[in-house]
Amino acid sequence: MTAREAGLDDELTDQIDRFEESDFPDSWKVALRLTDATILSPNLVDDALRVQARQHFTDVQITEILFDIMKWSWQKTLVALRVEAEIEGVKDVRFGADGHAIHA
């Protein structure tokens, strides 16, 4: 299932872009803060953000969030290194509800 098939639309992506001013629940905002900090500047994962994360999530949930961030952002390393190799036979990668890749 793609994000669009699961309900992601332009309105929601606009809200995500401005999540701090959105009406998202505090837990979503903390998860998005953690995501931004992890991807853009890991030194922003400071004591204050750690406290916020632990107010809303268990250690297991925080670990899962961080693994999801890495799963979806690993290609940034390839872009930075200008490595653009295609995976033979894979044109579209989707993830099932269980988190495993479904190769099309």
Side-chain angles (χ1 to χ4, degrees):
M1 174 183 297
T2 68
R4 294 269 180 215
E5 291 168 347
L8 183 70
D9 59 19
D10 292 337
E11 181 180 339
L12 183 56
T13 59
D14 289 343
Q15 286 180 307
I16 291 169
D17 287 342
R18 296 182 311 282
F19 71 88
E20 292 290 4
E21 295 82 36
S22 74
D23 60 355
F24 288 158
D26 288 341
S27 60
W28 290 24
K29 291 180 181 182
V30 170
L32 289 166
R33 279 184 210 123
L34 182 59
T35 301
D36 279 356
T38 302
I39 291 172
L40 301 174
S41 188
N43 64 319
L44 295 176
V45 180
D46 60 8
D47 289 338
L49 184 53
R50 281 189 281 279
V51 167
Q52 291 173 23
R54 287 201 165 96
Q55 287 174 338
H56 295 279
F57 305 105
T58 66
D59 285 352
V60 170
Q61 290 171 318
I62 293 168
T63 301
E64 184 176 335
I65 290 168
L66 291 170
F67 274 118
D68 280 343
I69 292 166
M70 297 311 296
K71 174 174 70 175
W72 293 107
S73 61
W74 68 270
Q75 74 279 7
K76 293 180 181 305
T77 304
L78 299 177
V79 171
L81 295 172
R82 300 195 192 291
V83 176
E84 300 176 19
E86 290 184 25
I87 300 171
E88 186 176 328
V90 177
K91 296 179 183 164
D92 182 28
V93 179
R94 295 177 179 210
F95 291 87
D98 62 0
H100 290 97
I102 302 168
H103 299 280

